[in-house]
């Protein structure tokens, strides 16, 4: 139940949209609820001709209640915690997810790089989670702070790239950051139907794992 | 039910004002009773044992032997062979034994050749006959339930009582009398599967490259074959006649109807047959109309009473989630599109948006059905995946009112009355279905956890190499099979196949809750070749999440069901059969 809706016909769970955006570089073409787990592969480039294949595990919201989460995130190298900046509840839910992540990896040798990602920055005018709240949560827990828009694709590639770089201890310089920000172009967003009026703020937050 | 008293108490203890609705708890929320909550967690911690719990009734080996005695050839002379083995082996005995084996073998081969020639055509009838026999002694009457909310709460209480010990092996088979392996057992145990697998494999190879640009989604789903020939074959016509005869009587023999339905229901009679099999309609023809009227009224009464509350604080999360899920379920639950990944990038993507599910009035129907169901079932509430389960009912019941293809059908051309009937009927039938698998959707989804475990256990016994291969690359069953259980394979199969599958699930006792497990096992093993070809974790995951079933039709589903039936028969009553 962690879905995020975006006020357009292109309903999506934040995480799914983010991942799909990332994996397919196309937003809103084909979304589905994540049931259990969705699995993607994506190749990205890091400085120094370093090519990395990411296994992206998109985890369904039902997972939080079940015993499955361990199976999904144990041993993950990176975890993306995604919430909707226009929906305060989704931010609050992240605390649950985050403690689950910590617990699941208690006995693991690798501690995942965790990134806190505020989604829907294209909806800045409807923001309900203040930026300094976001920053404080990051500082307190040592998370990589990022903002994206899964809808426009803004910073999506970068957000995976940054986490991958962090995991591998590679430094991204400014030029590279700017370059990847340009990589993903905004797609045509279909506002045609009346969904905008009907889907205000879906409540939950979600999580992806990069392994 | 044994804990009738329990239930009553439970109900009383928690009952507030009649009709007052508790906050909705989904699969991720703990139930509202802290006591119960604690129990559930405890129960959850006590994971079902890796080996299935002991069966309800201890079965001695003799009993087992006697109930399965006809599973083997009469001519096998096992006892004799065993006795001979016990003697000191001398060359004479060895030769005699060898001759016997050769003789048996050639006899079998001959039989098998004959069998194989007819098997493919006969698969359906065979299985049907088997079922027919099996059901003779099985008078499982659908219990008439009126007090659903009460039952619902009772069931919630039951969850922790039954959960630790239930696994596929501990559920008693309705076929305990075991009179029915006959036809399949003639052939060596692995061979029907292999033949089927080979056949299907070939079929797939051929059809993959020549995949038609637009794949019919549901249009032909009701046909009895995938050839696309519109004309009914003689066999289909006679089957339809049988159905019509059965349905025409003043009292429909439900057992007969199940037998007939097991191998597929003709499109023309599917709506009424589904309603009868699900227990929504009474077998007595005279009562049907009044029951329908009452039930439909009752449903719209719920809407009147509760639907406005969807924006209340208590329910807005539920409603919002449903509202988000509905529009985006249409593309993928109707056809399984291979997702674009690096591996599958070369597969052309058809855009399977079915106009039917893009229509606002259809989406609203789904929202109402799901919302009402959710608030009437607080133990589970709305859980993602349940939304998919409305679709087959809805599509089948639309067929009751139209002749043309369903994909491009504009629902606004239906009479309002008809649309309301479709909605109410879909609601009740979905409710009946969910009643049987409710623990799939309660807190922590224990039903699914158990079934995935059972699947793993089963696969480890029927195909060790597949099981070991997945273990080797650390693929967990939960990672792919959670969805198989949560959405009853709907995400893995095109809708037309789901509908055909449900014909059998409704004909089979405990089809959705029990038989589904064997279908999943057969489904997994069906891809053994592909699975064994994958040499790493990610390759396996991509394969298992995108199994190429786009071209599947009734034929493939029938093969799958026959295999599932064989597995069920071989394993349901014999938890240790073939145990390593």
């Amino acid at each position: 139940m962690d879905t995020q809706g975006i006020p357009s016909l292109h309903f999506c769970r934040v995480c799914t949209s983010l991942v799909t955006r990332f994996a397919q570089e196309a937003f809103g073409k084909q979304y589905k609820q994540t049931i259990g787990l969705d699995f993607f592969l994506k190749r990205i480039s890091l400085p120094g001709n370093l090519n990395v294949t990411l296994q992206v595990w998109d985890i369904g919201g039902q997972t939080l209640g079940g015993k499955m989460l361990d199976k999904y995130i144990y041993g993950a190298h990176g975890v993306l915690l995604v919430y909707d900046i226009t929906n305060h509840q989704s931010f609050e839910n992240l605390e649950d997810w985050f403690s689950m992540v910590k617990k699941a990896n208690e006995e693991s040798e690798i501690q995942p790089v965790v990134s806190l990602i505020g989604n829907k920055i294209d909806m800045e005018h409807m923001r309900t989670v203040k930026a300094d709240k976001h920053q404080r949560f990051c500082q307190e827990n040592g998370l990589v702070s990022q903002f994206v828009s899964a809808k426009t694709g803004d910073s999506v590639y970068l957000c995976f790239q940054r986490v991958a770089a962090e995991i591998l201890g590679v430094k991204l310089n400014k030029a590279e950051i700017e370059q990847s920000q340009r990589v993903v172009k905004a797609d045509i967003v279909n506002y045609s139907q009346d969904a905008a009026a009907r889907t205000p703020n879906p409540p939950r937050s979600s999580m992806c794992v990069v392994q | 039910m044994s804990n009738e008293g329990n239930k009553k108490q439970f109900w009383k203890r928690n009952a507030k004002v009649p009709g007052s609705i508790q906050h909705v708890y989904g699969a991720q929320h703990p139930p509202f009773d802290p006591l119960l909550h604690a129990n559930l967690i405890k129960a959850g911690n006590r994971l079902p044992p890796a080996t299935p719990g002991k069966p309800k009734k201890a079965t001695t080996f003799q009993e087992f032997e006697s109930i399965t005695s006809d599973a083997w050839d009469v001519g096998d002379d096992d006892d004799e062979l065993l006795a001979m083995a016990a003697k000191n082996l001398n060359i004479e005995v060895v030769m005699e034994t060898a001759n016997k084996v050769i003789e048996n073998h050639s006899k079998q081969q001959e039989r098998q050749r004959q069998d194989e020639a007819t098997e493919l055509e006969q698969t359906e009838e065979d299985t049907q006959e088997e079922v027919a026999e099996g059901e003779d002694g099985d008078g499982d009457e659908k219990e008439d339930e009126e007090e659903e909310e009460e039952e619902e709460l009772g069931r919630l209480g039951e969850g922790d009582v039954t959960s630790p010990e239930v696994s596929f092996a501990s559920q008693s088979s309705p076929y305990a009398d075991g009179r029915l392996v006959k036809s399949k057992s003639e052939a060596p145990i692995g061979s029907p599967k292999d033949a089927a697998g080979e056949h299907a494999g070939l079929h797939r190879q051929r059809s993959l490259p020549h995949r038609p640009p637009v794949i019919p989604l549901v249009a032909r789903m009701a046909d009895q074959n995938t050839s696309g020939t519109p004309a009914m074959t003689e066999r289909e016509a006679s089957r339809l006649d049988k159905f019509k005869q059965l349905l025409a009587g003043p009292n429909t023999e439900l057992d007969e109807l199940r037998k007939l339905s097991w191998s597929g229901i003709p499109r023309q009679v599917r709506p009424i047959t589904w309603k009868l099999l699900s227990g929504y309609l009474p077998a007595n023809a005279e009562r049907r109309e009044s029951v329908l009227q009452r039930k439909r009224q009752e449903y719209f009464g719920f809407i009147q009473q509760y639907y406005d509350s969807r924006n209340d604080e208590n329910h807005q999360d539920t409603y919002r989630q449903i509202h988000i899920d509905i529009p985006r379920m249409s593309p993928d639950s109707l056809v399984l599109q291979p997702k674009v990944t690096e591996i599958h990038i070369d597969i052309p993507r058809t855009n399977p948006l079915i106009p039917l599910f893009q229509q606002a009035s259809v989406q609203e129907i789904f929202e109402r059905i799901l919302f009402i169901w959710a608030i009437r079932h607080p133990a589970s509430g709305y859980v993602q995946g349940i939304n998919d389960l409305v679709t087959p009912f809805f599509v089948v019941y639309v067929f009751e009112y139209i002749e043309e293809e369903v994909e491009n059908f504009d629902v606004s051309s239906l009479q309002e009355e008809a649309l309301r009937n479709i909605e109410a009927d879909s609601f009740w039938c979905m409710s009946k279905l969910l009643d049987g698998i409710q623990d799939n959707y309660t807190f922590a989804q224990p039903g699914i956890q158990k079934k995935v475990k059972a699947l793993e256990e089963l696969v480890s016994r029927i195909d060790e190499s597949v099981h070991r291969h997945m273990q080797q690359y650390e693929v967990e069953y939960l990672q792919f099979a959670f969805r198989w259980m949560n959405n009853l394979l709907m995400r893995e199969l095109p809708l037309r196949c789901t509908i055909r599958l449900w014909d059998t699930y409704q004909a089979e006792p405990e089809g959705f809750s029990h038989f589904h497990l064997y279908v999943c096992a057969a489904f997994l093993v069906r891809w053994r070749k592909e699975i064994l070809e994958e040499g790493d974790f990610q390759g396996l995951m991509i394969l298992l999440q995108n199994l190429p079933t786009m071209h599947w039709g009734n034929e493939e589903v029938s093969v799958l069901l026959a295999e599932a039936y064989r597995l069920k028969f071989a394993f349901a009553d014999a938890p240790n059969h073939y145990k390593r």
Side-chain angles (χ1 to χ4, degrees), chain B residues 468-521:
Chain B
R468 272 214 305 254
H469 190 74
M470 297 208 293
Q471 266 185 336
Q472 184 188 344
Y473 296 108
E474 297 180 322
V475 173
E476 299 270 358
Y477 284 69
L478 206 53
Q479 288 163 350
F480 61 90
F482 181 88
R483 191 170 72 194
W484 294 13
M485 301 302 173
N486 195 64
N487 294 39
L488 295 174
L489 284 178
M490 281 188 67
R491 294 288 182 96
E492 328 305 320
L493 298 171
L495 182 60
R496 56 177 183 276
C497 294
T498 297
I499 289 174
R500 167 63 192 86
L501 191 65
W502 285 23
D503 286 347
T504 304
Y505 280 4
Q506 304 202 68
E508 176 83 7
E510 302 182 83
F512 292 100
S513 59
H514 186 67
F515 187 62
H516 179 66
L517 171 66
Y518 297 97
V519 173
C520 287

Side-chain angles (χ1 to χ4, degrees), chain B residues 168-184:
Chain B
F168 75 92
S170 66
Q171 287 169 16
S172 68
S173 158
Y175 298 148
D177 61 2
R179 279 172 294 140
L180 40 103
V181 199
K182 290 169 201 128
S183 56
K184 278 279 155 27

Side-chain angles (χ1 to χ4, degrees), chain A residues 15-50:
Chain A
C15 195
T16 301
S17 62
L18 196 67
V19 169
T20 318
R21 169 91 227 182
F22 176 63
Q24 306 180 3
E25 289 176 20
F27 180 94
K29 295 227 173 98
Q30 199 180 28
Y31 282 103
K32 42 163 84 180
Q33 309 157 295
T34 304
I35 302 291
L37 170 72
D38 272 339
F39 185 83
F40 299 84
L41 289 181
K42 180 70 181 178
R43 204 164 292 146
I44 63 167
S45 300
L46 292 174
N49 277 335
L50 188 58

Side-chain angles (χ1 to χ4, degrees), chain B residues 233-245:
Chain B
T233 64
E234 214 170 288
R235 204 185 129 238
E236 284 163 5
S238 96
R239 276 179 58 78
L240 181 58
D241 272 353
K242 277 188 205 159
F243 270 97
K244 283 187 168 159
Q245 261 175 23

Side-chain angles (χ1 to χ4, degrees), chain A residues 70 73-77 101-112 211:
Chain A
D70 296 4
I73 54 181
Y74 178 80
H77 295 107
V101 172
K102 280 195 295 194
K103 220 176 102 212
N105 285 289
E106 250 168 13
E107 286 165 26
S108 168
E109 285 168 27
I110 331 165
Q111 285 308 308
Q211 203 153 24

Side-chain angles (χ1 to χ4, degrees), chain B residues 196-251:
Chain B
E198 248 172 59
H199 171 76
L202 278 175
H203 182 84
R204 206 166 62 87
Q205 265 177 358
R206 259 183 282 125
S207 60
L208 258 184
H210 308 297
R211 182 179 291 178
V214 177
I215 294 162
L217 308 174
V218 285
R220 289 208 324 261
M221 67 187 184
D223 296 352
Q224 285 302 303
N225 56 48
T226 48
S227 64
T229 45
M232 258 198 278
T233 64
E234 214 170 288
R235 204 185 129 238
E236 284 163 5
S238 96
R239 276 179 58 78
L240 181 58
D241 272 353
K242 277 188 205 159
F243 270 97
K244 283 187 168 159
Q245 261 175 23
L246 203 52
L247 294 167
N251 267 305

Side-chain angles (χ1 to χ4, degrees), chain A residues 17-157:
Chain A
S17 62
L18 196 67
V19 169
T20 318
R21 169 91 227 182
F22 176 63
Q24 306 180 3
E25 289 176 20
F27 180 94
K29 295 227 173 98
Q30 199 180 28
Y31 282 103
K32 42 163 84 180
Q33 309 157 295
T34 304
I35 302 291
L37 170 72
D38 272 339
F39 185 83
F40 299 84
L41 289 181
K42 180 70 181 178
R43 204 164 292 146
I44 63 167
S45 300
L46 292 174
N49 277 335
L50 188 58
N51 287 315
V52 188
T53 303
L54 303 182
Q55 288 180 6
V56 184
W57 301 38
D58 177 18
I59 298 172
Q62 315 93 336
T63 316
L64 200 52
K67 314 236 165 297
M68 300 159 275
L69 198 60
D70 296 4
K71 295 222 186 301
Y72 296 159
I73 54 181
Y74 178 80
H77 295 107
V79 174
L80 312 183
L81 298 170
V82 189
Y83 73 96
D84 171 0
I85 62 161
T86 68
N87 179 342
H88 202 271
Q89 185 65 42
S90 74
F91 183 75
E92 283 167 19
N93 290 340
L94 281 190
E95 299 197 8
D96 292 344
W97 283 100
F98 184 60
S99 62
M100 294 288 274
V101 172
K102 280 195 295 194
K103 220 176 102 212
N105 285 289
E106 250 168 13
E107 286 165 26
S108 168
E109 285 168 27
I110 331 165
Q111 285 308 308
V113 171
V114 181
S115 179
L116 181 67
I117 299 169
N119 188 27
K120 298 197 192 174
I121 45 167
D122 55 304
M123 306 279 294
E124 182 62 40
H125 56 289
M126 286 174 69
R127 180 192 271 275
T128 57
V129 181
K130 288 197 178 121
D132 61 324
K133 215 167 172 184
H134 172 109
Q135 300 298 358
R136 208 177 323 132
F137 191 69
C138 288
Q139 274 162 15
E140 280 167 10
N141 297 292
L143 313 182
V144 179
S145 160
Q146 314 199 65
F147 289 98
V148 297
S149 164
K151 184 155 72 183
T152 64
D154 194 14
S155 304
V156 172
Y157 186 83

Side-chain angles (χ1 to χ4, degrees), chain B residues 144-377:
Chain B
D144 192 16
E145 38 67 63
E146 292 292 335
E147 307 302 324
E148 284 182 3
E149 275 163 358
E150 196 165 341
E151 263 189 40
E152 143 84 20
L153 288 163
R155 225 173 275 120
L156 170 65
E158 267 166 43
D160 53 345
V161 180
T162 50
S163 59
E165 73 207 9
V166 179
S167 74
F168 75 92
S170 66
Q171 287 169 16
S172 68
S173 158
Y175 298 148
D177 61 2
R179 279 172 294 140
L180 40 103
V181 199
K182 290 169 201 128
S183 56
K184 278 279 155 27
S185 64
E186 303 269 358
I189 207 95
S191 91
K193 178 183 68 186
D194 292 344
E198 248 172 59
H199 171 76
L202 278 175
H203 182 84
R204 206 166 62 87
Q205 265 177 358
R206 259 183 282 125
S207 60
L208 258 184
H210 308 297
R211 182 179 291 178
V214 177
I215 294 162
L217 308 174
V218 285
R220 289 208 324 261
M221 67 187 184
D223 296 352
Q224 285 302 303
N225 56 48
T226 48
S227 64
T229 45
M232 258 198 278
T233 64
E234 214 170 288
R235 204 185 129 238
E236 284 163 5
S238 96
R239 276 179 58 78
L240 181 58
D241 272 353
K242 277 188 205 159
F243 270 97
K244 283 187 168 159
Q245 261 175 23
L246 203 52
L247 294 167
N251 267 305
T252 304
E253 277 294 328
L254 288 182
D255 283 346
E256 285 296 317
L257 194 61
R258 283 199 194 95
K259 282 180 211 168
L260 212 49
S261 301
W262 205 95
S263 39
I265 304 168
R267 158 186 170 155
Q268 295 86 337
V269 290
R270 189 178 265 133
I272 182 156
T273 308
W274 275 26
K275 286 175 197 171
L276 282 164
L277 291 181
S278 69
Y280 175 47
L281 275 188
N284 181 318
E286 271 178 22
R287 285 181 52 216
R288 277 176 209 159
E289 203 39 52
S290 63
V291 166
L292 274 181
Q293 265 187 11
R294 184 166 56 82
K295 283 296 198 183
R296 287 166 180 169
Q297 263 171 18
E298 196 180 345
Y299 170 73
F300 285 101
F302 295 151
I303 299 269
Q304 236 173 12
Q305 196 176 350
Y306 300 124
Y307 198 57
D308 285 340
S309 74
R310 66 190 180 280
N311 294 314
D312 291 0
E313 207 181 320
N314 277 353
H315 297 146
Q316 62 179 6
D317 281 3
T318 300
Y319 178 68
R320 196 184 276 152
Q321 189 64 52
I322 291 169
H323 185 71
I324 296 162
D325 283 350
I326 297 306
R328 65 190 184 144
M329 63 183 265
S330 49
D332 57 87
S333 65
L334 295 182
V335 189
L336 181 79
Q337 271 296 99
K339 242 179 286 175
V340 178
T341 61
E342 289 177 353
I343 288 170
H344 289 257
I345 200 111
D346 53 336
I347 297 176
R349 293 173 75 195
T350 52
N351 193 347
L353 286 182
I354 297 188
L356 180 70
F357 286 86
Q358 294 305 306
Q359 295 168 35
S361 54
V362 174
Q363 295 190 0
E364 282 161 18
I365 287 174
F366 274 61
E367 285 179 12
R368 282 196 294 268
I369 290 176
L370 290 166
F371 181 76
I372 296 298
W373 187 86
I375 63 166
R376 282 173 51 81
H377 293 79

